[in-house]
Amino acid sequence: MTTTSPAVQQPGGFRVRVQKFGTFLSGMIMPNIAAFIAWGLITALFIDQGWVGNDGPVEAWRWADSAVLGGGTIGDVDYTGLVGPIINYLLPLLIAYTGGRMVYDVRGGVTGAVAAFGVIVGAEGTVMFLGAMIAGPLSALILKWFEKPWQDKIKPGFEMLVNNFSAGFIAFVTALASFFWLAPVMKWVTDLLGSAVGWLVDTQLLPLASIIVEPAKVLFLNNAINHGVFTPLGSEQSAETGKSLLFLIEANPGPGLGMLMALTVFGVGAARATAPGAAIIQFLGGIHEVYFPYVLAKPSLIVGLIAGGATGVLTNVIFQSGLVAPAAPGSIFAVLIQIAPGSHVGVILSVILAAAVTFIVCSLFLLASRKRDLAADGDAAFAAAIAQTESNKGKSSSTLSNLAASAAAPAAVATRRIESIVFACDAGMGSSAMGASVLRNKIKKAGIEGVSVTNQAIANLDGTADLVITQQQLTDRAKAQSPDSLHVSVDNFMNSPKYDEVVDMVRDQKES
């Protein structure tokens, strides 16, 4: 078990900062995905071009009213009346509240929601998401700064009075500031981004976005792009036209499936053995992180992912297809549920063609290097060190001596008794939950008791964990969040030889 050395941490400084920013954006969006899905279903069913239409439910209600109550009608029901208020008000306010609460607990969330309303009304709802993602956390941060001088100095009995009035005052000020100043700025920014995306769509150059998106995913930088740009712009497009292909640029499960299938057929060693299971988790479960270690171990596969991702985007551009709401997690089931009416052919083809192109391109790379891969196979720890070196440096190492030196790094030594083990990732779900389940089963089979194994988001680490396990790209952030814990880096949450080392270390402690 190794930890990242200071020399390796420095090149990742900018990457870590971008990851933190993306994680914060993701923290505002992901808890509210259920609301996006609900809005997407309402939109897909009840808009005029929807599967049911706006008149179908009305006739059903009238029939039920007549059958049960003996006649009469309940009047016209406008189901599309739900679509606008949810997208313009509810979703942005949920995002603003969540962002404010992340910064300064519940009062920060309330202040953030009030401030976001200033942006929504001030710009007539056209910048609701980007505005909410700025106004919510920023107003909570202002409240936190504002109250800092008298923190813990309020006389007993006056806490509620002071806290409520200070929060109300900041909410008042930030709401006005958002209305008069932030709303025009955000409208200009949104118009600029929308025009850029529209130009890319009109010129059919949008597939080039995959050149940025696919490598960003592997380096865990996708949240900043997806939740910072695609989800807000896609939601606004969907509100206007009933669909958006922006939801599928990052979430399309086809490229990951194609790469894992290529490894299943033409891969070697542990990669080939674990790829089929990873493909099921990625394609059906929507946990894209599961295929990142394979790319880190063999960076040339990123070319296949880019080609497949671009093919999927181009297919949706040609067929003018898209989703009504974000597909989260990026499972094929989530994609199918969120397909806009009339977009089934284009969306399904985009997944199939993306997988096929990725499979072909990755297969060519695997076949070209098969002899070298077979010769190098044989030591899992050595392969993990290669992946770590390549990912940290951003390029392949040119000499076996550098790789061997990385593989021979000293084992981590527990400085305190290990009773709490935490798997941490960006969202605290998905890949970390799977890793926790694997290690939990190993500890149970070893007959070890009194050790808890849980999973959570890196941002929620509070320093109480005795041992924190993260993927290599996230270890630097986990160390900053929980510096007193023992940290273990793995290349693959699903199948790491380091789990056995952790079990042995815990067993030795129990027996000593």
Side-chain angles (χ1 to χ4, degrees), residues 47 55 79 86 125 286 361 385 424:
I47 60 174
D55 294 331
Y79 287 81
I86 290 177
V361 176

Side-chain angles (χ1 to χ4, degrees), residues 438-449 499-500 502-508 510-511:
V438 171
L439 182 58
R440 195 180 297 119
N441 289 335
K442 286 182 176 289
I443 289 178
K444 184 177 180 181
K445 289 180 180 179
I448 300 173
E449 298 180 352
Y499 293 162
D500 294 327
V502 170
V503 172
D504 291 340
M505 181 170 59
V506 174
R507 183 193 292 113
D508 292 342
K510 292 291 184 182
E511 294 175 352

Side-chain angles (χ1 to χ4, degrees), residues 143-162:
L143 175 63
K144 186 176 182 179
W145 288 339
F146 182 71
E147 292 185 343
K148 192 172 182 179
W150 61 79
Q151 200 92 41
D152 301 324
K153 298 178 182 178
I154 305 173
K155 296 293 183 181
F158 290 89
E159 294 91 349
M160 183 178 294
L161 178 68
V162 174

Side-chain angles (χ1 to χ4, degrees), residues 217 251-258 260 276-291 329-332 434:
K217 288 177 67 174
N252 190 333
L257 175 67
L260 291 170
I280 294 175
I281 294 170
Q282 186 266 342
F283 191 67
L284 301 182
I287 311 301
H288 290 207
E289 291 94 335
V290 74
Y291 74 76
S331 163
I332 186 60
M434 293 185 296

Side-chain angles (χ1 to χ4, degrees), residues 265-338:
V265 178
F266 302 109
V268 298
R272 182 174 185 177
T274 58
I280 294 175
I281 294 170
Q282 186 266 342
F283 191 67
L284 301 182
I287 311 301
H288 290 207
E289 291 94 335
V290 74
Y291 74 76
F292 296 174
Y294 297 92
V295 186
L296 295 176
K298 194 170 185 61
S300 59
L301 296 179
I302 197 66
V303 178
L305 291 171
I306 293 174
T311 300
V313 176
L314 180 60
T315 302
N316 283 313
V317 170
I318 293 173
F319 283 86
Q320 296 185 353
S321 52
L323 306 183
V324 294
S331 163
I332 186 60
F333 298 123
V335 171
L336 293 176
I337 290 173
Q338 299 291 6

Side-chain angles (χ1 to χ4, degrees), residues 158-469:
F158 290 89
E159 294 91 349
M160 183 178 294
L161 178 68
V162 174
N163 289 340
N164 284 339
F165 268 89
S166 63
F169 175 76
I170 294 300
F172 161 73
V173 172
T174 54
L176 290 179
S178 298
F179 182 87
F180 288 107
W181 298 323
L182 182 59
V185 173
M186 293 312 302
K187 182 170 175 47
W188 176 80
V189 171
T190 302
D191 289 344
L192 181 64
L193 292 174
S195 299
V197 172
W199 179 79
L200 291 173
V201 173
D202 294 339
T203 57
Q204 295 191 349
L205 293 178
L206 193 58
L208 296 179
S210 296
I211 298 175
I212 299 175
V213 172
E214 295 301 333
K217 288 177 67 174
V218 176
L219 295 174
F220 295 93
L221 305 179
N222 55 309
N223 286 329
I225 297 174
N226 191 35
H227 298 306
V229 179
F230 291 150
T231 295
L233 291 181
S235 298
E236 293 181 16
Q237 285 185 0
S238 183
E240 296 174 0
T241 64
K243 62 186 175 184
S244 175
L245 64 84
L246 298 180
F247 293 133
L248 269 175
I249 293 179
E250 189 268 345
N252 190 333
L257 175 67
M259 188 206 70
L260 291 170
M261 287 295 96
L263 284 167
T264 300
V265 178
F266 302 109
V268 298
R272 182 174 185 177
T274 58
I280 294 175
I281 294 170
Q282 186 266 342
F283 191 67
L284 301 182
I287 311 301
H288 290 207
E289 291 94 335
V290 74
Y291 74 76
F292 296 174
Y294 297 92
V295 186
L296 295 176
K298 194 170 185 61
S300 59
L301 296 179
I302 197 66
V303 178
L305 291 171
I306 293 174
T311 300
V313 176
L314 180 60
T315 302
N316 283 313
V317 170
I318 293 173
F319 283 86
Q320 296 185 353
S321 52
L323 306 183
V324 294
S331 163
I332 186 60
F333 298 123
V335 171
L336 293 176
I337 290 173
Q338 299 291 6
I339 294 179
S343 291
H344 276 74
V345 173
V347 170
I348 293 174
L349 270 179
S350 74
V351 176
I352 294 174
L353 294 177
V357 170
T358 304
F359 176 85
I360 293 171
V361 176
C362 288
S363 296
L364 294 175
F365 279 102
L366 290 171
L367 288 171
S369 62
R370 187 170 178 82
K371 289 184 178 180
R372 293 194 302 272
D373 293 340
L374 286 170
D377 191 31
D379 190 280
F382 184 75
I386 294 174
Q388 181 178 358
T389 303
E390 290 176 342
S391 62
N392 287 334
K393 291 186 177 181
K395 60 181 180 179
S396 299
S397 178
S398 58
T399 63
L400 291 175
S401 59
N402 288 340
L403 299 177
S406 178
V413 178
T415 56
R416 63 185 185 186
R417 197 164 188 85
I418 297 176
E419 297 179 347
S420 172
I421 301 175
V422 174
F423 278 74
C425 67
D426 257 340
M429 301 177 286
S431 57
S432 61
M434 293 185 296
S437 177
V438 171
L439 182 58
R440 195 180 297 119
N441 289 335
K442 286 182 176 289
I443 289 178
K444 184 177 180 181
K445 289 180 180 179
I448 300 173
E449 298 180 352
V451 177
S452 67
V453 182
T454 58
N455 57 281
Q456 63 183 115
I458 289 178
N460 294 334
L461 291 174
D462 55 8
T464 59
D466 300 317
L467 172 64
V468 177
I469 301 177

